[in-house]
Amino acid sequence: MISIQNFAKTYNKKHIIKHSSFKIPQNQITFLMGENGAGKTTFIKCVTGLEKCEGEVTFTQGKDCFVVWDDTPFYQNLSGVDNLLILGDSKLTKKSDT
């Protein structure tokens, strides 16, 4: 289960997501739906640690969280690893075998 307590996100003093608390059940598919700009992607980035936020996000059984985007902009001329590096906003690093 993922427990979200007092979760909030602001950009330039504008509240994107105001203090919210809820739980996402374990071993179930959870669907986020909302208008463009509602904060769905921002929420996912915060839960997965790609962006900072206010509040507390707690994983009760490890940090296994899988996200399936409805429209993923993969670059056909790049490898899968290079796509992950770009789409992960450079939060990941490519390890060398040397």
mmCIF file of all heavy atoms in Angstrom, residues 16-47:
data_model
loop_
_atom_site.group_PDB
_atom_site.id
_atom_site.type_symbol
_atom_site.label_atom_id
_atom_site.label_comp_id
_atom_site.label_asym_id
_atom_site.label_seq_id
_atom_site.Cartn_x
_atom_site.Cartn_y
_atom_site.Cartn_z
ATOM 1 N N ILE A 16 -0.532 23.386 -7.002
ATOM 2 C CA ILE A 16 -0.941 22.453 -8.044
ATOM 3 C C ILE A 16 -1.807 21.368 -7.406
ATOM 4 O O ILE A 16 -2.841 20.999 -7.931
ATOM 5 C CB ILE A 16 0.290 21.818 -8.735
ATOM 6 C CG1 ILE A 16 1.207 22.902 -9.309
ATOM 7 C CG2 ILE A 16 -0.118 20.826 -9.796
ATOM 8 C CD1 ILE A 16 0.556 23.817 -10.321
ATOM 9 N N ILE A 17 -1.349 20.870 -6.268
ATOM 10 C CA ILE A 17 -2.106 19.895 -5.485
ATOM 11 C C ILE A 17 -2.105 20.403 -4.048
ATOM 12 O O ILE A 17 -1.046 20.620 -3.466
ATOM 13 C CB ILE A 17 -1.474 18.485 -5.557
ATOM 14 C CG1 ILE A 17 -1.397 18.008 -7.013
ATOM 15 C CG2 ILE A 17 -2.257 17.496 -4.702
ATOM 16 C CD1 ILE A 17 -0.598 16.743 -7.209
ATOM 17 N N LYS A 18 -3.283 20.612 -3.493
ATOM 18 C CA LYS A 18 -3.381 21.113 -2.118
ATOM 19 C C LYS A 18 -3.420 19.944 -1.150
ATOM 20 O O LYS A 18 -3.791 18.840 -1.512
ATOM 21 C CB LYS A 18 -4.621 21.985 -1.957
ATOM 22 C CG LYS A 18 -4.524 23.272 -2.753
ATOM 23 C CD LYS A 18 -5.710 24.157 -2.516
ATOM 24 C CE LYS A 18 -5.558 25.432 -3.338
ATOM 25 N NZ LYS A 18 -6.693 26.314 -3.170
ATOM 26 N N HIS A 19 -3.057 20.177 0.045
ATOM 27 C CA HIS A 19 -2.889 19.176 1.100
ATOM 28 C C HIS A 19 -3.962 18.087 1.045
ATOM 29 O O HIS A 19 -5.112 18.315 1.390
ATOM 30 C CB HIS A 19 -2.860 19.867 2.460
ATOM 31 C CG HIS A 19 -1.725 20.844 2.557
ATOM 32 N ND1 HIS A 19 -0.458 20.452 2.907
ATOM 33 C CD2 HIS A 19 -1.651 22.167 2.298
ATOM 34 C CE1 HIS A 19 0.343 21.496 2.879
ATOM 35 N NE2 HIS A 19 -0.357 22.546 2.517
ATOM 36 N N SER A 20 -3.531 16.915 0.589
ATOM 37 C CA SER A 20 -4.423 15.772 0.418
ATOM 38 C C SER A 20 -3.851 14.564 1.133
ATOM 39 O O SER A 20 -2.643 14.387 1.190
ATOM 40 C CB SER A 20 -4.584 15.435 -1.064
ATOM 41 O OG SER A 20 -5.115 16.523 -1.771
ATOM 42 N N SER A 21 -4.735 13.722 1.627
ATOM 43 C CA SER A 21 -4.329 12.472 2.266
ATOM 44 C C SER A 21 -5.217 11.349 1.741
ATOM 45 O O SER A 21 -6.437 11.512 1.656
ATOM 46 C CB SER A 21 -4.474 12.557 3.789
ATOM 47 O OG SER A 21 -3.619 13.548 4.308
ATOM 48 N N PHE A 22 -4.584 10.246 1.344
ATOM 49 C CA PHE A 22 -5.331 9.086 0.865
ATOM 50 C C PHE A 22 -4.399 7.889 0.796
ATOM 51 O O PHE A 22 -3.196 8.008 1.018
ATOM 52 C CB PHE A 22 -5.987 9.345 -0.504
ATOM 53 C CG PHE A 22 -5.033 9.817 -1.553
ATOM 54 C CD1 PHE A 22 -4.463 8.932 -2.446
ATOM 55 C CD2 PHE A 22 -4.710 11.161 -1.665
ATOM 56 C CE1 PHE A 22 -3.581 9.366 -3.420
ATOM 57 C CE2 PHE A 22 -3.831 11.613 -2.635
ATOM 58 C CZ PHE A 22 -3.269 10.706 -3.517
ATOM 59 N N LYS A 23 -4.957 6.718 0.493
ATOM 60 C CA LYS A 23 -4.174 5.491 0.395
ATOM 61 C C LYS A 23 -4.427 4.843 -0.955
ATOM 62 O O LYS A 23 -5.556 4.857 -1.457
ATOM 63 C CB LYS A 23 -4.533 4.526 1.521
ATOM 64 C CG LYS A 23 -4.131 5.060 2.881
ATOM 65 C CD LYS A 23 -4.513 4.120 3.991
ATOM 66 C CE LYS A 23 -4.087 4.761 5.316
ATOM 67 N NZ LYS A 23 -4.431 3.945 6.452
ATOM 68 N N ILE A 24 -3.375 4.252 -1.509
ATOM 69 C CA ILE A 24 -3.476 3.482 -2.744
ATOM 70 C C ILE A 24 -3.283 2.025 -2.355
ATOM 71 O O ILE A 24 -2.241 1.655 -1.819
ATOM 72 C CB ILE A 24 -2.417 3.935 -3.768
ATOM 73 C CG1 ILE A 24 -2.619 5.413 -4.109
ATOM 74 C CG2 ILE A 24 -2.473 3.057 -5.015
ATOM 75 C CD1 ILE A 24 -1.528 6.007 -4.980
ATOM 76 N N PRO A 25 -4.303 1.179 -2.594
ATOM 77 C CA PRO A 25 -4.238 -0.226 -2.157
ATOM 78 C C PRO A 25 -3.097 -1.006 -2.803
ATOM 79 O O PRO A 25 -2.689 -0.714 -3.922
ATOM 80 C CB PRO A 25 -5.583 -0.807 -2.587
ATOM 81 C CG PRO A 25 -6.443 0.345 -2.935
ATOM 82 C CD PRO A 25 -5.540 1.477 -3.285
ATOM 83 N N GLN A 26 -2.613 -1.989 -2.086
ATOM 84 C CA GLN A 26 -1.546 -2.866 -2.573
ATOM 85 C C GLN A 26 -2.125 -3.912 -3.518
ATOM 86 O O GLN A 26 -3.260 -4.360 -3.345
ATOM 87 C CB GLN A 26 -0.880 -3.551 -1.383
ATOM 88 C CG GLN A 26 0.280 -4.424 -1.756
ATOM 89 C CD GLN A 26 0.942 -4.989 -0.515
ATOM 90 O OE1 GLN A 26 0.972 -4.345 0.520
ATOM 91 N NE2 GLN A 26 1.457 -6.184 -0.617
ATOM 92 N N ASN A 27 -1.331 -4.311 -4.516
ATOM 93 C CA ASN A 27 -1.698 -5.378 -5.462
ATOM 94 C C ASN A 27 -2.991 -5.097 -6.215
ATOM 95 O O ASN A 27 -3.752 -6.002 -6.505
ATOM 96 C CB ASN A 27 -1.790 -6.733 -4.756
ATOM 97 C CG ASN A 27 -0.458 -7.149 -4.173
ATOM 98 O OD1 ASN A 27 0.584 -6.883 -4.753
ATOM 99 N ND2 ASN A 27 -0.493 -7.786 -3.030
ATOM 100 N N GLN A 28 -3.233 -3.832 -6.510
ATOM 101 C CA GLN A 28 -4.383 -3.449 -7.312
ATOM 102 C C GLN A 28 -3.950 -2.407 -8.342
ATOM 103 O O GLN A 28 -3.007 -1.664 -8.122
ATOM 104 C CB GLN A 28 -5.490 -2.851 -6.451
ATOM 105 C CG GLN A 28 -6.153 -3.846 -5.545
ATOM 106 C CD GLN A 28 -7.328 -3.221 -4.812
ATOM 107 O OE1 GLN A 28 -7.714 -2.099 -5.048
ATOM 108 N NE2 GLN A 28 -7.911 -3.990 -3.904
ATOM 109 N N ILE A 29 -4.654 -2.367 -9.435
ATOM 110 C CA ILE A 29 -4.397 -1.344 -10.439
ATOM 111 C C ILE A 29 -5.156 -0.093 -10.027
ATOM 112 O O ILE A 29 -6.348 -0.144 -9.725
ATOM 113 C CB ILE A 29 -4.838 -1.815 -11.831
ATOM 114 C CG1 ILE A 29 -3.982 -3.006 -12.260
ATOM 115 C CG2 ILE A 29 -4.752 -0.678 -12.837
ATOM 116 C CD1 ILE A 29 -4.444 -3.683 -13.532
ATOM 117 N N THR A 30 -4.457 1.032 -9.993
ATOM 118 C CA THR A 30 -5.077 2.310 -9.641
ATOM 119 C C THR A 30 -4.985 3.225 -10.846
ATOM 120 O O THR A 30 -3.923 3.378 -11.441
ATOM 121 C CB THR A 30 -4.370 2.946 -8.431
ATOM 122 O OG1 THR A 30 -4.452 2.028 -7.338
ATOM 123 C CG2 THR A 30 -5.013 4.245 -8.043
ATOM 124 N N PHE A 31 -6.081 3.830 -11.210
ATOM 125 C CA PHE A 31 -6.181 4.666 -12.399
ATOM 126 C C PHE A 31 -6.353 6.116 -11.978
ATOM 127 O O PHE A 31 -7.224 6.432 -11.171
ATOM 128 C CB PHE A 31 -7.398 4.194 -13.214
ATOM 129 C CG PHE A 31 -7.663 4.991 -14.446
ATOM 130 C CD1 PHE A 31 -6.905 4.794 -15.587
ATOM 131 C CD2 PHE A 31 -8.685 5.918 -14.477
ATOM 132 C CE1 PHE A 31 -7.157 5.508 -16.733
ATOM 133 C CE2 PHE A 31 -8.954 6.639 -15.616
ATOM 134 C CZ PHE A 31 -8.186 6.433 -16.757
ATOM 135 N N LEU A 32 -5.493 6.997 -12.508
ATOM 136 C CA LEU A 32 -5.640 8.432 -12.243
ATOM 137 C C LEU A 32 -6.291 9.075 -13.461
ATOM 138 O O LEU A 32 -5.828 8.895 -14.585
ATOM 139 C CB LEU A 32 -4.277 9.085 -12.011
ATOM 140 C CG LEU A 32 -3.494 8.642 -10.797
ATOM 141 C CD1 LEU A 32 -2.139 9.341 -10.765
ATOM 142 C CD2 LEU A 32 -4.260 8.933 -9.525
ATOM 143 N N MET A 33 -7.336 9.833 -13.229
ATOM 144 C CA MET A 33 -8.025 10.488 -14.327
ATOM 145 C C MET A 33 -8.301 11.936 -13.947
ATOM 146 O O MET A 33 -8.655 12.234 -12.807
ATOM 147 C CB MET A 33 -9.338 9.774 -14.625
ATOM 148 C CG MET A 33 -10.057 10.326 -15.829
ATOM 149 S SD MET A 33 -11.501 9.345 -16.285
ATOM 150 C CE MET A 33 -12.688 9.925 -15.094
ATOM 151 N N GLY A 34 -8.104 12.818 -14.885
ATOM 152 C CA GLY A 34 -8.392 14.225 -14.648
ATOM 153 C C GLY A 34 -8.086 15.040 -15.885
ATOM 154 O O GLY A 34 -7.491 14.545 -16.846
ATOM 155 N N GLU A 35 -8.485 16.276 -15.864
ATOM 156 C CA GLU A 35 -8.253 17.179 -16.985
ATOM 157 C C GLU A 35 -6.763 17.447 -17.148
ATOM 158 O O GLU A 35 -5.978 17.262 -16.211
ATOM 159 C CB GLU A 35 -8.980 18.497 -16.751
ATOM 160 C CG GLU A 35 -10.484 18.374 -16.684
ATOM 161 C CD GLU A 35 -11.162 19.704 -16.409
ATOM 162 O OE1 GLU A 35 -10.491 20.751 -16.459
ATOM 163 O OE2 GLU A 35 -12.369 19.694 -16.151
ATOM 164 N N ASN A 36 -6.379 17.917 -18.335
ATOM 165 C CA ASN A 36 -4.996 18.336 -18.557
ATOM 166 C C ASN A 36 -4.650 19.424 -17.546
ATOM 167 O O ASN A 36 -5.445 20.338 -17.303
ATOM 168 C CB ASN A 36 -4.824 18.891 -19.979
ATOM 169 C CG ASN A 36 -4.868 17.808 -21.019
ATOM 170 O OD1 ASN A 36 -4.745 16.626 -20.713
ATOM 171 N ND2 ASN A 36 -5.041 18.198 -22.266
ATOM 172 N N GLY A 37 -3.472 19.281 -16.944
ATOM 173 C CA GLY A 37 -3.021 20.279 -15.972
ATOM 174 C C GLY A 37 -3.551 20.073 -14.566
ATOM 175 O O GLY A 37 -3.313 20.896 -13.691
ATOM 176 N N ALA A 38 -4.253 18.977 -14.337
ATOM 177 C CA ALA A 38 -4.831 18.729 -13.006
ATOM 178 C C ALA A 38 -3.791 18.283 -11.984
ATOM 179 O O ALA A 38 -4.039 18.339 -10.788
ATOM 180 C CB ALA A 38 -5.948 17.694 -13.102
ATOM 181 N N GLY A 39 -2.619 17.804 -12.445
ATOM 182 C CA GLY A 39 -1.571 17.391 -11.519
ATOM 183 C C GLY A 39 -1.292 15.900 -11.491
ATOM 184 O O GLY A 39 -0.566 15.421 -10.615
ATOM 185 N N LYS A 40 -1.825 15.143 -12.439
ATOM 186 C CA LYS A 40 -1.624 13.687 -12.453
ATOM 187 C C LYS A 40 -0.149 13.326 -12.615
ATOM 188 O O LYS A 40 0.398 12.551 -11.828
ATOM 189 C CB LYS A 40 -2.441 13.046 -13.589
ATOM 190 C CG LYS A 40 -3.933 13.275 -13.502
ATOM 191 C CD LYS A 40 -4.660 12.690 -14.695
ATOM 192 C CE LYS A 40 -4.243 13.287 -16.021
ATOM 193 N NZ LYS A 40 -4.622 14.672 -16.256
ATOM 194 N N THR A 41 0.495 13.868 -13.629
ATOM 195 C CA THR A 41 1.912 13.576 -13.877
ATOM 196 C C THR A 41 2.776 14.101 -12.744
ATOM 197 O O THR A 41 3.709 13.427 -12.295
ATOM 198 C CB THR A 41 2.353 14.170 -15.222
ATOM 199 O OG1 THR A 41 1.544 13.610 -16.261
ATOM 200 C CG2 THR A 41 3.818 13.874 -15.503
ATOM 201 N N THR A 42 2.460 15.281 -12.251
ATOM 202 C CA THR A 42 3.205 15.847 -11.125
ATOM 203 C C THR A 42 3.107 14.936 -9.908
ATOM 204 O O THR A 42 4.106 14.669 -9.237
ATOM 205 C CB THR A 42 2.671 17.252 -10.790
ATOM 206 O OG1 THR A 42 2.890 18.101 -11.921
ATOM 207 C CG2 THR A 42 3.358 17.833 -9.570
ATOM 208 N N PHE A 43 1.919 14.433 -9.629
ATOM 209 C CA PHE A 43 1.731 13.511 -8.499
ATOM 210 C C PHE A 43 2.600 12.271 -8.659
ATOM 211 O O PHE A 43 3.293 11.853 -7.729
ATOM 212 C CB PHE A 43 0.257 13.124 -8.361
ATOM 213 C CG PHE A 43 0.032 12.007 -7.395
ATOM 214 C CD1 PHE A 43 0.137 12.225 -6.026
ATOM 215 C CD2 PHE A 43 -0.260 10.727 -7.842
ATOM 216 C CE1 PHE A 43 -0.055 11.193 -5.131
ATOM 217 C CE2 PHE A 43 -0.454 9.689 -6.946
ATOM 218 C CZ PHE A 43 -0.349 9.922 -5.587
ATOM 219 N N ILE A 44 2.578 11.665 -9.842
ATOM 220 C CA ILE A 44 3.370 10.449 -10.078
ATOM 221 C C ILE A 44 4.858 10.743 -9.932
ATOM 222 O O ILE A 44 5.596 9.959 -9.341
ATOM 223 C CB ILE A 44 3.042 9.847 -11.453
ATOM 224 C CG1 ILE A 44 1.611 9.292 -11.439
ATOM 225 C CG2 ILE A 44 4.030 8.758 -11.827
ATOM 226 C CD1 ILE A 44 1.079 8.897 -12.790
ATOM 227 N N LYS A 45 5.315 11.874 -10.457
ATOM 228 C CA LYS A 45 6.730 12.234 -10.324
ATOM 229 C C LYS A 45 7.107 12.406 -8.853
ATOM 230 O O LYS A 45 8.203 12.018 -8.441
ATOM 231 C CB LYS A 45 7.036 13.505 -11.110
ATOM 232 C CG LYS A 45 7.091 13.291 -12.599
ATOM 233 C CD LYS A 45 7.454 14.581 -13.314
ATOM 234 C CE LYS A 45 7.612 14.359 -14.798
ATOM 235 N NZ LYS A 45 8.022 15.599 -15.486
ATOM 236 N N CYS A 46 6.232 12.964 -8.064
ATOM 237 C CA CYS A 46 6.520 13.144 -6.633
ATOM 238 C C CYS A 46 6.556 11.801 -5.905
ATOM 239 O O CYS A 46 7.465 11.547 -5.111
ATOM 240 C CB CYS A 46 5.480 14.059 -5.993
ATOM 241 S SG CYS A 46 5.590 15.781 -6.522
ATOM 242 N N VAL A 47 5.594 10.945 -6.171
ATOM 243 C CA VAL A 47 5.537 9.634 -5.498
ATOM 244 C C VAL A 47 6.756 8.789 -5.860
ATOM 245 O O VAL A 47 7.289 8.072 -5.010
ATOM 246 C CB VAL A 47 4.224 8.891 -5.854
ATOM 247 C CG1 VAL A 47 4.270 7.443 -5.421
ATOM 248 C CG2 VAL A 47 3.038 9.588 -5.206
#
